[in-house]
Amino acid sequence: MLWTLLLLVAVDIAVVATAAVLLTPWLVPVRNAVAAHLPFGGASARIAWWIAILTPALVAFVWAQLRYTSAQTMAEVDARIVGPDEYPALHERVQRLAQLADLTPPRIAVADADVPNSFAIGTLGGATVVVSEGLLSALDGDELDAVLAHELMHVANRDATVMTLASFLPSLTNGEYDPLADLLPGGSRYALGLVALGFAYVFSARVLAAPFGSLSFTLGFLFLFAVTVLLGSVALGVFTAPVVVLGRSLSRAREFAADRSAAQLTGDPAALVGALETLDSGVDDRPGTDKRSAYAGVRGLCFLPYGFDTAASSDSLATETRSHPPTTERVERLQSVARSLETGSV
């Protein structure tokens, strides 16, 4: 997990640094203003400039990824945070299991979906465990405890936070996320784009030799802008590729780890096996992939790989499942954990 997190942060650093390099023509006035107030120049000034740009940009980028991905994932599955007054039994279960795991109880959200499923979302400010109405209807007792323990183990092991972070770039690249459209609905994002384009046009006077406002200046600006967008798109695709690989391998490995940890926490692997078999048998006829989505993102940590949406129609959205381990293999591993608990070797 630590190595995965470090690699994800390294990719974020590369993304922020590349953006800073591509935007250099329009950052020249800012760089000159900063350099004018530094007591030193030369290489030291350039290093200070890059630190001043990259450090806050990286922090903001990581924070924005976690915040935006969490909000979007909750919206996609139509989930809302619920309190103990509304779901007292569910809160009691989570509180009890969290105390057993020595873990701060996460927020609880319920998704308005008939398909039984659950997953965990992690942010810098805490975690959220999402369960569907279908899950609460399908399971009770020890089996429901086992599924909730599974999600709490994702939180305790930081799987939820790392997977949330790993979700943003792939979803952005394949068009699943559009932050500007979500944050600025309607025509406001186009107005903001025009304003930003206007500022870029003015700032280009520092790097283009042609007279400001002339045809040659405008053509030079358009060429510079097109090259920046093209290189930025290519770089985004290149940086996304390792994140997709990391996310898929992490999804599979952490499902097994969460199963094992949950079985050890509850001391009842059979309950988790029962939950898997009960839920899997009820949704075997559902589609396993969404051909419009190349990457499942944080939903790769769904308890079962079928997502939250119903399969009533052919155009319903299901979760990408290529990275998710098959139920039969999870059951076999849990049976091995049960034998180890019986013999006292765990």
PDB file of all heavy atoms in Angstrom, residues 177-212:
ATOM      1  N   TYR A 177     -15.389  11.700 -15.903  1.00  0.00           N
ATOM      2  CA  TYR A 177     -15.434  12.905 -15.073  1.00  0.00           C
ATOM      3  C   TYR A 177     -15.248  14.134 -15.951  1.00  0.00           C
ATOM      4  O   TYR A 177     -14.446  14.125 -16.886  1.00  0.00           O
ATOM      5  CB  TYR A 177     -14.328  12.886 -14.021  1.00  0.00           C
ATOM      6  CG  TYR A 177     -14.535  11.908 -12.886  1.00  0.00           C
ATOM      7  CD1 TYR A 177     -13.484  11.610 -12.023  1.00  0.00           C
ATOM      8  CD2 TYR A 177     -15.756  11.285 -12.660  1.00  0.00           C
ATOM      9  CE1 TYR A 177     -13.646  10.720 -10.970  1.00  0.00           C
ATOM     10  CE2 TYR A 177     -15.926  10.397 -11.614  1.00  0.00           C
ATOM     11  CZ  TYR A 177     -14.866  10.120 -10.775  1.00  0.00           C
ATOM     12  OH  TYR A 177     -15.028   9.229  -9.738  1.00  0.00           O
ATOM     13  N   ASP A 178     -15.953  15.194 -15.620  1.00  0.00           N
ATOM     14  CA  ASP A 178     -15.781  16.493 -16.265  1.00  0.00           C
ATOM     15  C   ASP A 178     -15.917  17.554 -15.179  1.00  0.00           C
ATOM     16  O   ASP A 178     -17.002  18.091 -14.960  1.00  0.00           O
ATOM     17  CB  ASP A 178     -16.820  16.692 -17.359  1.00  0.00           C
ATOM     18  CG  ASP A 178     -16.552  17.953 -18.178  1.00  0.00           C
ATOM     19  OD1 ASP A 178     -15.687  18.754 -17.767  1.00  0.00           O
ATOM     20  OD2 ASP A 178     -17.213  18.137 -19.220  1.00  0.00           O
ATOM     21  N   PRO A 179     -14.826  17.838 -14.464  1.00  0.00           N
ATOM     22  CA  PRO A 179     -14.915  18.745 -13.309  1.00  0.00           C
ATOM     23  C   PRO A 179     -15.491  20.111 -13.646  1.00  0.00           C
ATOM     24  O   PRO A 179     -16.284  20.660 -12.877  1.00  0.00           O
ATOM     25  CB  PRO A 179     -13.449  18.858 -12.840  1.00  0.00           C
ATOM     26  CG  PRO A 179     -12.816  17.592 -13.314  1.00  0.00           C
ATOM     27  CD  PRO A 179     -13.466  17.281 -14.613  1.00  0.00           C
ATOM     28  N   LEU A 180     -15.111  20.684 -14.788  1.00  0.00           N
ATOM     29  CA  LEU A 180     -15.616  22.006 -15.130  1.00  0.00           C
ATOM     30  C   LEU A 180     -17.121  21.987 -15.341  1.00  0.00           C
ATOM     31  O   LEU A 180     -17.836  22.882 -14.888  1.00  0.00           O
ATOM     32  CB  LEU A 180     -14.914  22.529 -16.389  1.00  0.00           C
ATOM     33  CG  LEU A 180     -13.481  23.020 -16.208  1.00  0.00           C
ATOM     34  CD1 LEU A 180     -12.917  23.501 -17.532  1.00  0.00           C
ATOM     35  CD2 LEU A 180     -13.424  24.151 -15.179  1.00  0.00           C
ATOM     36  N   ALA A 181     -17.610  20.955 -16.020  1.00  0.00           N
ATOM     37  CA  ALA A 181     -19.049  20.863 -16.251  1.00  0.00           C
ATOM     38  C   ALA A 181     -19.805  20.659 -14.948  1.00  0.00           C
ATOM     39  O   ALA A 181     -20.915  21.174 -14.777  1.00  0.00           O
ATOM     40  CB  ALA A 181     -19.347  19.718 -17.218  1.00  0.00           C
ATOM     41  N   ASP A 182     -19.202  19.912 -14.006  1.00  0.00           N
ATOM     42  CA  ASP A 182     -19.869  19.650 -12.731  1.00  0.00           C
ATOM     43  C   ASP A 182     -19.839  20.873 -11.812  1.00  0.00           C
ATOM     44  O   ASP A 182     -20.807  21.151 -11.096  1.00  0.00           O
ATOM     45  CB  ASP A 182     -19.211  18.463 -12.028  1.00  0.00           C
ATOM     46  CG  ASP A 182     -19.428  17.160 -12.792  1.00  0.00           C
ATOM     47  OD1 ASP A 182     -20.513  16.997 -13.375  1.00  0.00           O
ATOM     48  OD2 ASP A 182     -18.505  16.326 -12.814  1.00  0.00           O
ATOM     49  N   LEU A 183     -18.710  21.581 -11.822  1.00  0.00           N
ATOM     50  CA  LEU A 183     -18.568  22.731 -10.932  1.00  0.00           C
ATOM     51  C   LEU A 183     -19.207  23.987 -11.507  1.00  0.00           C
ATOM     52  O   LEU A 183     -19.666  24.853 -10.761  1.00  0.00           O
ATOM     53  CB  LEU A 183     -17.081  22.988 -10.649  1.00  0.00           C
ATOM     54  CG  LEU A 183     -16.340  21.860  -9.931  1.00  0.00           C
ATOM     55  CD1 LEU A 183     -14.854  22.201  -9.813  1.00  0.00           C
ATOM     56  CD2 LEU A 183     -16.931  21.605  -8.552  1.00  0.00           C
ATOM     57  N   LEU A 184     -19.229  24.091 -12.843  1.00  0.00           N
ATOM     58  CA  LEU A 184     -19.781  25.271 -13.500  1.00  0.00           C
ATOM     59  C   LEU A 184     -20.805  24.838 -14.542  1.00  0.00           C
ATOM     60  O   LEU A 184     -20.510  24.777 -15.739  1.00  0.00           O
ATOM     61  CB  LEU A 184     -18.665  26.078 -14.167  1.00  0.00           C
ATOM     62  CG  LEU A 184     -17.560  26.614 -13.242  1.00  0.00           C
ATOM     63  CD1 LEU A 184     -16.420  27.184 -14.058  1.00  0.00           C
ATOM     64  CD2 LEU A 184     -18.134  27.682 -12.319  1.00  0.00           C
ATOM     65  N   PRO A 185     -22.011  24.503 -14.110  1.00  0.00           N
ATOM     66  CA  PRO A 185     -23.026  24.031 -15.058  1.00  0.00           C
ATOM     67  C   PRO A 185     -23.485  25.134 -16.000  1.00  0.00           C
ATOM     68  O   PRO A 185     -23.315  26.325 -15.734  1.00  0.00           O
ATOM     69  CB  PRO A 185     -24.160  23.558 -14.136  1.00  0.00           C
ATOM     70  CG  PRO A 185     -23.986  24.368 -12.884  1.00  0.00           C
ATOM     71  CD  PRO A 185     -22.509  24.556 -12.730  1.00  0.00           C
ATOM     72  N   GLY A 186     -24.086  24.719 -17.094  1.00  0.00           N
ATOM     73  CA  GLY A 186     -24.612  25.683 -18.052  1.00  0.00           C
ATOM     74  C   GLY A 186     -23.509  26.353 -18.847  1.00  0.00           C
ATOM     75  O   GLY A 186     -22.465  25.785 -19.142  1.00  0.00           O
ATOM     76  N   GLY A 187     -23.740  27.624 -19.175  1.00  0.00           N
ATOM     77  CA  GLY A 187     -22.784  28.342 -20.008  1.00  0.00           C
ATOM     78  C   GLY A 187     -21.682  29.022 -19.230  1.00  0.00           C
ATOM     79  O   GLY A 187     -20.797  29.648 -19.834  1.00  0.00           O
ATOM     80  N   SER A 188     -21.699  28.923 -17.899  1.00  0.00           N
ATOM     81  CA  SER A 188     -20.696  29.638 -17.104  1.00  0.00           C
ATOM     82  C   SER A 188     -19.290  29.119 -17.357  1.00  0.00           C
ATOM     83  O   SER A 188     -18.328  29.880 -17.315  1.00  0.00           O
ATOM     84  CB  SER A 188     -21.034  29.531 -15.615  1.00  0.00           C
ATOM     85  OG  SER A 188     -21.158  28.174 -15.219  1.00  0.00           O
ATOM     86  N   ARG A 189     -19.148  27.802 -17.622  1.00  0.00           N
ATOM     87  CA  ARG A 189     -17.802  27.283 -17.862  1.00  0.00           C
ATOM     88  C   ARG A 189     -17.247  27.807 -19.176  1.00  0.00           C
ATOM     89  O   ARG A 189     -16.041  28.015 -19.310  1.00  0.00           O
ATOM     90  CB  ARG A 189     -17.796  25.758 -17.844  1.00  0.00           C
ATOM     91  CG  ARG A 189     -18.602  25.078 -18.923  1.00  0.00           C
ATOM     92  CD  ARG A 189     -18.295  23.605 -18.960  1.00  0.00           C
ATOM     93  NE  ARG A 189     -19.169  22.889 -19.870  1.00  0.00           N
ATOM     94  CZ  ARG A 189     -18.891  21.724 -20.397  1.00  0.00           C
ATOM     95  NH1 ARG A 189     -17.747  21.138 -20.105  1.00  0.00           N
ATOM     96  NH2 ARG A 189     -19.733  21.116 -21.201  1.00  0.00           N
ATOM     97  N   TYR A 190     -18.130  28.042 -20.167  1.00  0.00           N
ATOM     98  CA  TYR A 190     -17.655  28.599 -21.435  1.00  0.00           C
ATOM     99  C   TYR A 190     -17.233  30.047 -21.252  1.00  0.00           C
ATOM    100  O   TYR A 190     -16.247  30.507 -21.850  1.00  0.00           O
ATOM    101  CB  TYR A 190     -18.748  28.491 -22.491  1.00  0.00           C
ATOM    102  CG  TYR A 190     -19.142  27.072 -22.806  1.00  0.00           C
ATOM    103  CD1 TYR A 190     -20.359  26.559 -22.365  1.00  0.00           C
ATOM    104  CD2 TYR A 190     -18.285  26.230 -23.520  1.00  0.00           C
ATOM    105  CE1 TYR A 190     -20.712  25.243 -22.636  1.00  0.00           C
ATOM    106  CE2 TYR A 190     -18.639  24.921 -23.788  1.00  0.00           C
ATOM    107  CZ  TYR A 190     -19.853  24.429 -23.346  1.00  0.00           C
ATOM    108  OH  TYR A 190     -20.201  23.125 -23.608  1.00  0.00           O
ATOM    109  N   ALA A 191     -17.966  30.777 -20.412  1.00  0.00           N
ATOM    110  CA  ALA A 191     -17.586  32.159 -20.114  1.00  0.00           C
ATOM    111  C   ALA A 191     -16.239  32.204 -19.413  1.00  0.00           C
ATOM    112  O   ALA A 191     -15.373  33.030 -19.736  1.00  0.00           O
ATOM    113  CB  ALA A 191     -18.663  32.822 -19.258  1.00  0.00           C
ATOM    114  N   LEU A 192     -16.042  31.270 -18.442  1.00  0.00           N
ATOM    115  CA  LEU A 192     -14.760  31.208 -17.749  1.00  0.00           C
ATOM    116  C   LEU A 192     -13.643  30.849 -18.720  1.00  0.00           C
ATOM    117  O   LEU A 192     -12.542  31.399 -18.644  1.00  0.00           O
ATOM    118  CB  LEU A 192     -14.836  30.172 -16.632  1.00  0.00           C
ATOM    119  CG  LEU A 192     -13.552  29.960 -15.818  1.00  0.00           C
ATOM    120  CD1 LEU A 192     -13.162  31.238 -15.092  1.00  0.00           C
ATOM    121  CD2 LEU A 192     -13.719  28.815 -14.809  1.00  0.00           C
ATOM    122  N   GLY A 193     -13.932  29.936 -19.640  1.00  0.00           N
ATOM    123  CA  GLY A 193     -12.933  29.548 -20.633  1.00  0.00           C
ATOM    124  C   GLY A 193     -12.524  30.717 -21.513  1.00  0.00           C
ATOM    125  O   GLY A 193     -11.339  30.894 -21.820  1.00  0.00           O
ATOM    126  N   LEU A 194     -13.493  31.533 -21.903  1.00  0.00           N
ATOM    127  CA  LEU A 194     -13.183  32.694 -22.730  1.00  0.00           C
ATOM    128  C   LEU A 194     -12.348  33.710 -21.965  1.00  0.00           C
ATOM    129  O   LEU A 194     -11.423  34.322 -22.515  1.00  0.00           O
ATOM    130  CB  LEU A 194     -14.481  33.339 -23.225  1.00  0.00           C
ATOM    131  CG  LEU A 194     -15.258  32.550 -24.294  1.00  0.00           C
ATOM    132  CD1 LEU A 194     -16.579  33.236 -24.598  1.00  0.00           C
ATOM    133  CD2 LEU A 194     -14.420  32.402 -25.564  1.00  0.00           C
ATOM    134  N   VAL A 195     -12.676  33.895 -20.682  1.00  0.00           N
ATOM    135  CA  VAL A 195     -11.886  34.817 -19.857  1.00  0.00           C
ATOM    136  C   VAL A 195     -10.451  34.311 -19.723  1.00  0.00           C
ATOM    137  O   VAL A 195      -9.491  35.087 -19.870  1.00  0.00           O
ATOM    138  CB  VAL A 195     -12.535  34.980 -18.469  1.00  0.00           C
ATOM    139  CG1 VAL A 195     -11.612  35.757 -17.532  1.00  0.00           C
ATOM    140  CG2 VAL A 195     -13.880  35.683 -18.587  1.00  0.00           C
ATOM    141  N   ALA A 196     -10.288  33.002 -19.451  1.00  0.00           N
ATOM    142  CA  ALA A 196      -8.945  32.428 -19.331  1.00  0.00           C
ATOM    143  C   ALA A 196      -8.185  32.546 -20.642  1.00  0.00           C
ATOM    144  O   ALA A 196      -6.979  32.838 -20.656  1.00  0.00           O
ATOM    145  CB  ALA A 196      -9.057  30.963 -18.913  1.00  0.00           C
ATOM    146  N   LEU A 197      -8.890  32.332 -21.761  1.00  0.00           N
ATOM    147  CA  LEU A 197      -8.246  32.464 -23.069  1.00  0.00           C
ATOM    148  C   LEU A 197      -7.796  33.897 -23.312  1.00  0.00           C
ATOM    149  O   LEU A 197      -6.722  34.149 -23.878  1.00  0.00           O
ATOM    150  CB  LEU A 197      -9.226  32.022 -24.158  1.00  0.00           C
ATOM    151  CG  LEU A 197      -8.634  31.659 -25.528  1.00  0.00           C
ATOM    152  CD1 LEU A 197      -7.703  30.464 -25.414  1.00  0.00           C
ATOM    153  CD2 LEU A 197      -9.755  31.359 -26.516  1.00  0.00           C
ATOM    154  N   GLY A 198      -8.608  34.851 -22.835  1.00  0.00           N
ATOM    155  CA  GLY A 198      -8.231  36.249 -22.985  1.00  0.00           C
ATOM    156  C   GLY A 198      -6.978  36.601 -22.196  1.00  0.00           C
ATOM    157  O   GLY A 198      -6.073  37.295 -22.702  1.00  0.00           O
ATOM    158  N   PHE A 199      -6.895  36.109 -20.954  1.00  0.00           N
ATOM    159  CA  PHE A 199      -5.703  36.345 -20.150  1.00  0.00           C
ATOM    160  C   PHE A 199      -4.478  35.699 -20.795  1.00  0.00           C
ATOM    161  O   PHE A 199      -3.386  36.286 -20.816  1.00  0.00           O
ATOM    162  CB  PHE A 199      -5.900  35.795 -18.736  1.00  0.00           C
ATOM    163  CG  PHE A 199      -6.597  36.746 -17.807  1.00  0.00           C
ATOM    164  CD1 PHE A 199      -7.922  36.548 -17.440  1.00  0.00           C
ATOM    165  CD2 PHE A 199      -5.932  37.853 -17.303  1.00  0.00           C
ATOM    166  CE1 PHE A 199      -8.565  37.417 -16.583  1.00  0.00           C
ATOM    167  CE2 PHE A 199      -6.565  38.738 -16.446  1.00  0.00           C
ATOM    168  CZ  PHE A 199      -7.896  38.526 -16.091  1.00  0.00           C
ATOM    169  N   ALA A 200      -4.646  34.478 -21.303  1.00  0.00           N
ATOM    170  CA  ALA A 200      -3.530  33.790 -21.954  1.00  0.00           C
ATOM    171  C   ALA A 200      -3.057  34.578 -23.168  1.00  0.00           C
ATOM    172  O   ALA A 200      -1.848  34.666 -23.438  1.00  0.00           O
ATOM    173  CB  ALA A 200      -3.955  32.378 -22.365  1.00  0.00           C
ATOM    174  N   TYR A 201      -4.000  35.164 -23.904  1.00  0.00           N
ATOM    175  CA  TYR A 201      -3.648  35.961 -25.083  1.00  0.00           C
ATOM    176  C   TYR A 201      -2.804  37.170 -24.690  1.00  0.00           C
ATOM    177  O   TYR A 201      -1.787  37.489 -25.324  1.00  0.00           O
ATOM    178  CB  TYR A 201      -4.923  36.410 -25.786  1.00  0.00           C
ATOM    179  CG  TYR A 201      -4.700  37.118 -27.100  1.00  0.00           C
ATOM    180  CD1 TYR A 201      -4.520  36.402 -28.270  1.00  0.00           C
ATOM    181  CD2 TYR A 201      -4.694  38.508 -27.171  1.00  0.00           C
ATOM    182  CE1 TYR A 201      -4.324  37.044 -29.486  1.00  0.00           C
ATOM    183  CE2 TYR A 201      -4.502  39.176 -28.368  1.00  0.00           C
ATOM    184  CZ  TYR A 201      -4.319  38.441 -29.533  1.00  0.00           C
ATOM    185  OH  TYR A 201      -4.111  39.083 -30.732  1.00  0.00           O
ATOM    186  N   VAL A 202      -3.223  37.837 -23.612  1.00  0.00           N
ATOM    187  CA  VAL A 202      -2.479  39.023 -23.151  1.00  0.00           C
ATOM    188  C   VAL A 202      -1.096  38.628 -22.644  1.00  0.00           C
ATOM    189  O   VAL A 202      -0.081  39.266 -22.976  1.00  0.00           O
ATOM    190  CB  VAL A 202      -3.277  39.749 -22.050  1.00  0.00           C
ATOM    191  CG1 VAL A 202      -2.432  40.873 -21.427  1.00  0.00           C
ATOM    192  CG2 VAL A 202      -4.577  40.309 -22.614  1.00  0.00           C
ATOM    193  N   PHE A 203      -1.008  37.570 -21.830  1.00  0.00           N
ATOM    194  CA  PHE A 203       0.267  37.151 -21.267  1.00  0.00           C
ATOM    195  C   PHE A 203       1.226  36.629 -22.338  1.00  0.00           C
ATOM    196  O   PHE A 203       2.440  36.590 -22.118  1.00  0.00           O
ATOM    197  CB  PHE A 203       0.054  36.067 -20.215  1.00  0.00           C
ATOM    198  CG  PHE A 203      -0.554  36.581 -18.939  1.00  0.00           C
ATOM    199  CD1 PHE A 203      -1.194  35.723 -18.058  1.00  0.00           C
ATOM    200  CD2 PHE A 203      -0.498  37.925 -18.613  1.00  0.00           C
ATOM    201  CE1 PHE A 203      -1.757  36.190 -16.884  1.00  0.00           C
ATOM    202  CE2 PHE A 203      -1.057  38.411 -17.447  1.00  0.00           C
ATOM    203  CZ  PHE A 203      -1.693  37.542 -16.577  1.00  0.00           C
ATOM    204  N   SER A 204       0.682  36.226 -23.483  1.00  0.00           N
ATOM    205  CA  SER A 204       1.547  35.710 -24.552  1.00  0.00           C
ATOM    206  C   SER A 204       2.440  36.799 -25.124  1.00  0.00           C
ATOM    207  O   SER A 204       3.418  36.509 -25.832  1.00  0.00           O
ATOM    208  CB  SER A 204       0.704  35.108 -25.680  1.00  0.00           C
ATOM    209  OG  SER A 204      -0.027  33.996 -25.225  1.00  0.00           O
ATOM    210  N   ALA A 205       2.138  38.054 -24.842  1.00  0.00           N
ATOM    211  CA  ALA A 205       2.964  39.151 -25.344  1.00  0.00           C
ATOM    212  C   ALA A 205       4.389  39.062 -24.831  1.00  0.00           C
ATOM    213  O   ALA A 205       5.323  39.602 -25.446  1.00  0.00           O
ATOM    214  CB  ALA A 205       2.343  40.489 -24.943  1.00  0.00           C
ATOM    215  N   ARG A 206       4.596  38.365 -23.707  1.00  0.00           N
ATOM    216  CA  ARG A 206       5.936  38.234 -23.144  1.00  0.00           C
ATOM    217  C   ARG A 206       6.787  37.210 -23.896  1.00  0.00           C
ATOM    218  O   ARG A 206       8.006  37.198 -23.724  1.00  0.00           O
ATOM    219  CB  ARG A 206       5.853  37.831 -21.668  1.00  0.00           C
ATOM    220  CG  ARG A 206       5.163  38.851 -20.775  1.00  0.00           C
ATOM    221  CD  ARG A 206       5.947  40.151 -20.718  1.00  0.00           C
ATOM    222  NE  ARG A 206       5.409  41.077 -19.740  1.00  0.00           N
ATOM    223  CZ  ARG A 206       5.904  41.259 -18.536  1.00  0.00           C
ATOM    224  NH1 ARG A 206       6.932  40.530 -18.141  1.00  0.00           N
ATOM    225  NH2 ARG A 206       5.363  42.138 -17.721  1.00  0.00           N
ATOM    226  N   VAL A 207       6.163  36.324 -24.657  1.00  0.00           N
ATOM    227  CA  VAL A 207       6.929  35.257 -25.304  1.00  0.00           C
ATOM    228  C   VAL A 207       6.836  35.277 -26.824  1.00  0.00           C
ATOM    229  O   VAL A 207       7.594  34.580 -27.502  1.00  0.00           O
ATOM    230  CB  VAL A 207       6.462  33.874 -24.799  1.00  0.00           C
ATOM    231  CG1 VAL A 207       6.807  33.694 -23.335  1.00  0.00           C
ATOM    232  CG2 VAL A 207       4.978  33.675 -25.034  1.00  0.00           C
ATOM    233  N   LEU A 208       5.916  36.061 -27.386  1.00  0.00           N
ATOM    234  CA  LEU A 208       5.786  36.149 -28.836  1.00  0.00           C
ATOM    235  C   LEU A 208       6.376  37.468 -29.314  1.00  0.00           C
ATOM    236  O   LEU A 208       6.091  38.537 -28.762  1.00  0.00           O
ATOM    237  CB  LEU A 208       4.314  36.061 -29.241  1.00  0.00           C
ATOM    238  CG  LEU A 208       3.615  34.716 -28.934  1.00  0.00           C
ATOM    239  CD1 LEU A 208       2.124  34.781 -29.294  1.00  0.00           C
ATOM    240  CD2 LEU A 208       4.287  33.581 -29.680  1.00  0.00           C
ATOM    241  N   ALA A 209       7.195  37.367 -30.366  1.00  0.00           N
ATOM    242  CA  ALA A 209       7.917  38.553 -30.844  1.00  0.00           C
ATOM    243  C   ALA A 209       7.051  39.462 -31.710  1.00  0.00           C
ATOM    244  O   ALA A 209       7.365  40.639 -31.887  1.00  0.00           O
ATOM    245  CB  ALA A 209       9.161  38.112 -31.634  1.00  0.00           C
ATOM    246  N   ALA A 210       5.976  38.952 -32.262  1.00  0.00           N
ATOM    247  CA  ALA A 210       5.138  39.743 -33.162  1.00  0.00           C
ATOM    248  C   ALA A 210       4.409  40.854 -32.400  1.00  0.00           C
ATOM    249  O   ALA A 210       4.214  40.746 -31.186  1.00  0.00           O
ATOM    250  CB  ALA A 210       4.129  38.832 -33.854  1.00  0.00           C
ATOM    251  N   PRO A 211       4.029  41.924 -33.091  1.00  0.00           N
ATOM    252  CA  PRO A 211       3.295  43.025 -32.443  1.00  0.00           C
ATOM    253  C   PRO A 211       1.985  42.527 -31.838  1.00  0.00           C
ATOM    254  O   PRO A 211       1.240  41.774 -32.480  1.00  0.00           O
ATOM    255  CB  PRO A 211       3.039  44.012 -33.587  1.00  0.00           C
ATOM    256  CG  PRO A 211       4.098  43.707 -34.590  1.00  0.00           C
ATOM    257  CD  PRO A 211       4.330  42.231 -34.504  1.00  0.00           C
ATOM    258  N   PHE A 212       1.705  42.974 -30.642  1.00  0.00           N
ATOM    259  CA  PHE A 212       0.507  42.502 -29.936  1.00  0.00           C
ATOM    260  C   PHE A 212      -0.754  42.871 -30.717  1.00  0.00           C
ATOM    261  O   PHE A 212      -0.937  44.012 -31.144  1.00  0.00           O
ATOM    262  CB  PHE A 212       0.439  43.134 -28.545  1.00  0.00           C
ATOM    263  CG  PHE A 212      -0.768  42.719 -27.748  1.00  0.00           C
ATOM    264  CD1 PHE A 212      -0.814  41.487 -27.117  1.00  0.00           C
ATOM    265  CD2 PHE A 212      -1.879  43.554 -27.660  1.00  0.00           C
ATOM    266  CE1 PHE A 212      -1.911  41.096 -26.385  1.00  0.00           C
ATOM    267  CE2 PHE A 212      -2.994  43.172 -26.936  1.00  0.00           C
ATOM    268  CZ  PHE A 212      -3.004  41.930 -26.300  1.00  0.00           C
TER     269      PHE A 212
END
